Amino acid sequence: MQAQTPQIGKKISKHQPKGLVILHEDQDIIVVDKINGLLTMGTETEKEKTAYFLLTDYVRKGNPRSRNRLFIVHRLDRDTSGVLVFAKSEQAKQFLQNNWKDFTKTYFAVVHGQLEEKEGVITSYLVENSAFRMYSVNNPDKGKFSKTGYKVLKENANFSLLEINLFTGTKNQIRVHFAENGNPVAGDKIYGVNEKGIKRLALHSASLTLVHPFSKKNMTFQTSVPPYFYQLVK
């Protein structure tokens, strides 16, 4: 089935959540473009400055007693920008999560250095340690199989701009795979190098094609690559 251009839902500028651009909204899902620096969901130390909190307030139109609610389908790291999907019912959430592995997810990243192979696939089994850092292991019984496809679009002496196909959705997968490959994502303070002058984590969820939980039609949501990524590979 051909991917269809999403129809933008009704706009309510009065309640437009800060840090989020609504790409599509209907009675089953809401799709947004999240800025970098905003959490997907709350933590023990931060409850309100999250996409989930802001969008819950948005769907409730500011009425805390409203029964409207959202369900988290997937997450983007705080410092990763781009396409993020929430469901408006438990049924929609379950459908999207059950079929998530079959959806097409495209990211763009700027990594340090130049890659010897300009196009390829990285696979490993990823596991989380006690410090909540992900790393690769050889034992499939201990780690989660993770597969990342990539293609170099542009490079200079210091950086490479990559188009990435995320075949699986393990936590921090892209960041770990390229860091372990010797090409950490620019601006990655956890898996990368401590560097000055990098304004942000250079990782962006640019495109997502999914099957709508109710209509069962393919829908594609796209966002622009941040201009800063191109500045790094001038």
Side-chain angles (χ1 to χ4, degrees), residues 16-71:
Q16 188 86 358
K18 187 176 182 180
L20 299 164
V21 175
I22 296 173
L23 303 175
H24 173 85
E25 182 184 7
D26 59 37
Q27 63 184 6
D28 301 294
I29 61 173
I30 184 166
V31 186
V32 298
D33 182 4
K34 180 185 83 70
I35 64 168
N36 69 298
L38 183 67
L39 286 164
T40 296
M41 59 180 289
T43 64
E44 289 184 2
T45 56
E46 181 56 71
K47 304 292 185 185
E48 297 188 359
K49 292 181 181 178
T50 72
Y52 177 73
F53 182 91
L54 294 169
L55 286 171
T56 296
D57 183 64
Y58 166 79
V59 299
R60 289 176 175 173
K61 308 295 187 287
N63 178 7
R65 289 186 289 181
S66 168
R67 293 186 177 183
N68 294 337
R69 59 175 300 194
L70 291 179
F71 297 81

Side-chain angles (χ1 to χ4, degrees), residues 1-229:
M1 187 180 292
Q2 289 289 323
Q4 296 191 352
T5 302
Q7 295 181 348
I8 304 301
K10 57 184 179 181
K11 294 182 179 179
I12 307 176
S13 58
K14 181 180 178 182
H15 298 288
Q16 188 86 358
K18 187 176 182 180
L20 299 164
V21 175
I22 296 173
L23 303 175
H24 173 85
E25 182 184 7
D26 59 37
Q27 63 184 6
D28 301 294
I29 61 173
I30 184 166
V31 186
V32 298
D33 182 4
K34 180 185 83 70
I35 64 168
N36 69 298
L38 183 67
L39 286 164
T40 296
M41 59 180 289
T43 64
E44 289 184 2
T45 56
E46 181 56 71
K47 304 292 185 185
E48 297 188 359
K49 292 181 181 178
T50 72
Y52 177 73
F53 182 91
L54 294 169
L55 286 171
T56 296
D57 183 64
Y58 166 79
V59 299
R60 289 176 175 173
K61 308 295 187 287
N63 178 7
R65 289 186 289 181
S66 168
R67 293 186 177 183
N68 294 337
R69 59 175 300 194
L70 291 179
F71 297 81
I72 294 169
V73 175
H74 68 122
R75 306 175 192 177
L76 293 179
D77 295 337
R78 181 202 291 261
D79 294 322
T80 301
S81 55
V83 181
L84 185 60
V85 182
F86 291 88
K88 289 188 174 182
S89 68
E90 182 70 37
Q91 293 88 341
K93 171 193 171 182
Q94 288 301 325
F95 176 85
L96 293 171
Q97 289 186 334
N98 290 343
N99 294 279
W100 193 254
K101 66 182 185 301
D102 300 320
F103 299 158
T104 302
K105 300 166 282 286
T106 304
Y107 284 69
F108 285 84
V110 177
V111 301
H112 282 273
Q114 297 182 354
L115 283 77
E116 190 172 333
E117 294 186 13
K118 304 307 177 186
E119 187 170 355
V121 175
I122 301 172
T123 60
S124 72
Y125 297 95
L126 291 176
V127 66
E128 189 171 31
N129 65 17
S130 58
F132 307 110
R133 285 173 61 107
M134 305 296 291
Y135 65 99
S136 294
V137 295
N138 294 322
N139 190 340
D141 294 328
K142 291 185 177 180
K144 185 176 180 181
F145 178 73
S146 305
K147 182 179 179 181
T148 306
Y150 72 88
K151 180 179 181 181
V152 177
L153 300 180
K154 191 174 182 181
E155 61 185 13
N156 59 21
N158 299 314
F159 299 106
S160 298
L161 174 65
L162 310 180
E163 179 178 335
I164 296 169
N165 290 318
L166 196 65
F167 294 110
T168 57
T170 311
K171 176 184 175 182
N172 295 162
Q173 175 180 323
I174 293 172
R175 296 163 66 179
V176 176
H177 273 172
F178 287 101
E180 293 182 343
N181 195 56
N183 306 97
V185 176
D188 193 336
K189 298 176 182 177
I190 298 176
Y191 302 100
V193 293
N194 220 345
E195 59 207 314
K196 293 183 179 179
I198 302 297
K199 296 179 182 178
R200 57 160 292 183
L201 177 71
L203 183 60
H204 180 74
S205 171
S207 175
L208 170 66
T209 298
L210 55 76
V211 176
H212 190 274
F214 178 74
S215 70
K216 302 301 187 286
K217 291 182 178 179
N218 277 18
M219 301 184 77
T220 295
F221 307 98
Q222 295 180 315
T223 59
S224 300
V225 180
Y228 180 60
F229 288 22

